[in-house]
Amino acid sequence: MTRNIHMRRHIFLLLLLYTATMQYGHAFAVAGHGGRRSTHLANDATKSSVSFQHANVACDDDDDDDSSSLSTASPAALWHKNRRKEMIQKYPEIIQLERSSSQIVALPLLFLVNFSLAAMAVLSGSLSILQVGLLALFPGSILSLWQLQILHDCLHGSLFSEDFKFNPFRSKKELEKILLFWASMPSAFGYYLYLKYGHLTHHRNVGNSDATLAKLFDSRQKDFEDGDVLFVAHRMKLKGDVGPKIYGHEVSISRMGFRSWLGLDRYGSRLRAAINATIFASSFLFERAMLILNDFVVALIGKNLFFPNKPAAFHDECATYCRCAVVVRMALVILAGSWKALLFLYLAETLWSIPPHPAAAMFVTNHGSISDATGNCVPSSSTYAGRWYSLLTLGTNFHCEHHDFPTIPLQKLGILREIAPEYYKSGSTDNVIEVMEGAFADPDFYACLDSNVLTKA
């Protein structure tokens, strides 16, 4: 009886916290905009169906600095742009997919996901560490991935329809900004900073040899040159100098881990893949733990020391987000009465990215250097493992489709392969274990970075 009363009290407090957080988020965002009406997108009746650049920066700030310090799109980005033009010419009905939204499905799901993650974090306080791990593995990791995918739709302008009205928000653009910020919580480190500063430029600069790991940390631009480089550095071959550096000494956890991988001459393929996957998981988990600690530092000092040259606007945004996120995390820890609430969020956020989790198959192979039948390089890949897999990943597995058409919402990406089958791999029989084994036994260069030939289709 007493236990039930405590649980009801926790759930009630959690609802109050979530409601207060969303209300405060609205006030904060409107105050931050000084009451200005955003006109970017608000004056557009439909999404662009021609311009690759517009499709990928549609949700970026209209008053931000240039999206990156790289002046031209990468060969891989141009490959997708050319495919997109060809496909629209052959199949003009694709334009209707771009004009759709995911709000009916994704918006209620996002609130359910975030409430569930918060409730499970509180519940974790009464569980053993093993039970916390199992809860984080399922359903926690799936919910965290869904949170990322829905926020990703929001970033690309695909979550809300163009005529969506919700007072007192002044525009679709402002609503997207508010939702992206606050619906990134609860989390242990979260997806907000990557989405805000690294994903749209990833579309433009994917596989760009100038978007090095060192440049990403040393850049004076507000946005990352290619935010995905931060992830692929753990598991793929890159070119160029490495960062971050302190007093000239490299302190990259990801590259130190990757350099420890076994070469092709060591052991058999399966054993080598298992060992390399273990090294990857270790470096990935360790780095994420350090990033969580860094959030506390940023919240205290108001600056992200890993990016010393970035403008004040970047550091101010980092500090604001970290302070809000830390408050939410600590509130959940207090409600749970244990640090295990944070442990749950940490594991839920990371486990879907590492083997043997089935979702890791699409994560570790989405930008390889696969050769087609003619020997040309293909910079983006999708994982087709059946309908259950598409549901498990909420459409994240349709990665090549997404880079071809960034503004098609998550529930419509699979339709592309039905409309234009000659542009995508046939079948739905990918074995996720074999996909992961190949990625870790023989790692690729990132997005055809070492190739001068990109296939047209």
Side-chain angles (χ1 to χ4, degrees), residues 194 213 216-217 224 226-234 254 287 307:
Y194 160 71
L213 199 56
L216 191 148
F217 285 101
F224 302 134
D226 177 359
D228 275 42
V229 171
L230 292 167
F231 306 116
V232 300
H234 284 275
S254 58
E287 182 185 74
F307 306 96

Coordinates of all heavy atoms in Angstrom, one line a residue, residues 194 213 216-217 224 226-234 254 287 307:
Y194 N 23.7 18.3 -31.3 CA 24.1 17.7 -32.6 C 23.1 18.1 -33.6 O 23.4 18.5 -34.7 CB 24.1 16.1 -32.5 CG 23.9 15.5 -33.9 CD1 25.0 15.6 -34.8 CD2 22.8 14.9 -34.2 CE1 24.8 15.0 -36.1 CE2 22.6 14.3 -35.5 CZ 23.6 14.4 -36.4 OH 23.5 13.8 -37.6
L213 N 38.2 16.1 -38.3 CA 37.9 16.1 -36.9 C 38.5 17.3 -36.2 O 38.0 18.0 -35.3 CB 38.3 14.8 -36.3 CG 37.8 14.4 -34.9 CD1 36.2 14.4 -35.0 CD2 38.3 13.1 -34.5
L216 N 36.6 20.6 -37.0 CA 35.4 20.6 -36.3 C 35.6 21.2 -34.9 O 34.7 22.0 -34.5 CB 34.8 19.2 -36.2 CG 33.3 19.1 -35.7 CD1 32.7 17.9 -36.3 CD2 33.3 18.9 -34.2
F217 N 36.7 20.9 -34.3 CA 36.9 21.4 -32.9 C 37.6 22.8 -33.0 O 37.4 23.6 -32.0 CB 37.8 20.5 -32.1 CG 37.1 19.2 -31.7 CD1 37.2 18.0 -32.3 CD2 36.3 19.3 -30.5 CE1 36.5 16.9 -31.9 CE2 35.6 18.2 -30.1 CZ 35.7 17.0 -30.8
F224 N 28.8 23.1 -36.7 CA 29.8 22.1 -37.0 C 29.9 21.9 -38.5 O 28.9 21.9 -39.1 CB 29.5 20.7 -36.3 CG 29.4 20.8 -34.8 CD1 28.4 20.2 -34.2 CD2 30.3 21.5 -34.0 CE1 28.2 20.3 -32.8 CE2 30.2 21.6 -32.7 CZ 29.2 21.0 -32.0
D226 N 30.5 19.1 -40.1 CA 29.7 17.9 -40.3 C 29.6 17.2 -39.0 O 30.6 16.5 -38.5 CB 30.4 17.0 -41.4 CG 29.7 15.6 -41.6 OD1 28.7 15.4 -40.9 OD2 30.2 14.8 -42.4
G227 N 28.5 17.3 -38.3 CA 28.3 16.8 -37.0 C 28.5 15.3 -36.9 O 28.9 14.7 -35.8
D228 N 28.2 14.5 -38.0 CA 28.4 13.1 -37.9 C 29.8 12.6 -37.8 O 30.0 11.5 -37.4 CB 27.7 12.5 -39.2 CG 26.3 12.3 -39.1 OD1 25.6 13.2 -38.6 OD2 25.7 11.2 -39.5
V229 N 30.8 13.5 -38.1 CA 32.2 13.1 -38.0 C 32.4 12.7 -36.5 O 33.3 11.9 -36.2 CB 33.1 14.2 -38.4 CG1 34.5 13.9 -38.1 CG2 33.0 14.4 -40.0
L230 N 31.7 13.4 -35.6 CA 31.9 13.1 -34.1 C 31.6 11.6 -33.8 O 32.2 11.1 -32.9 CB 31.0 14.0 -33.3 CG 31.4 15.5 -33.3 CD1 30.3 16.3 -32.7 CD2 32.7 15.7 -32.6
F231 N 30.6 11.0 -34.6 CA 30.2 9.7 -34.3 C 31.1 8.7 -35.1 O 31.5 7.6 -34.6 CB 28.8 9.5 -34.6 CG 27.8 10.4 -33.9 CD1 27.1 11.4 -34.7 CD2 27.7 10.4 -32.6 CE1 26.3 12.2 -34.0 CE2 26.9 11.3 -31.9 CZ 26.2 12.2 -32.6
V232 N 31.2 9.0 -36.4 CA 31.9 8.0 -37.3 C 33.4 7.9 -36.9 O 34.1 6.9 -37.3 CB 31.8 8.3 -38.7 CG1 30.3 8.3 -39.1 CG2 32.4 9.7 -39.1
A233 N 33.9 8.9 -36.2 CA 35.3 8.8 -35.8 C 35.6 7.6 -34.9 O 36.8 7.1 -34.8 CB 35.7 10.1 -35.0
H234 N 34.6 7.0 -34.3 CA 34.7 5.8 -33.4 C 34.9 4.6 -34.3 O 35.4 3.6 -33.7 CB 33.5 5.7 -32.5 CG 33.5 6.6 -31.4 ND1 34.1 6.3 -30.2 CD2 32.9 7.8 -31.2 CE1 33.9 7.3 -29.3 NE2 33.1 8.2 -29.9
S254 N 37.6 8.9 -29.4 CA 37.1 8.1 -30.5 C 38.3 7.6 -31.4 O 38.3 6.4 -31.8 CB 36.2 8.9 -31.4 OG 36.8 10.1 -31.9
E287 N 33.2 7.9 -23.9 CA 33.1 9.3 -24.4 C 31.8 9.9 -24.0 O 31.7 11.0 -23.5 CB 33.3 9.3 -25.9 CG 33.2 10.7 -26.5 CD 33.3 10.7 -28.0 OE1 32.2 10.4 -28.6 OE2 34.3 11.1 -28.5
F307 N 35.5 23.6 -27.7 CA 35.3 24.4 -28.9 C 35.7 25.9 -28.6 O 34.8 26.8 -28.6 CB 33.9 24.3 -29.4 CG 33.4 22.9 -29.6 CD1 32.6 22.3 -28.7 CD2 33.7 22.2 -30.8 CE1 32.2 21.0 -28.9 CE2 33.3 20.9 -31.0 CZ 32.5 20.3 -30.1

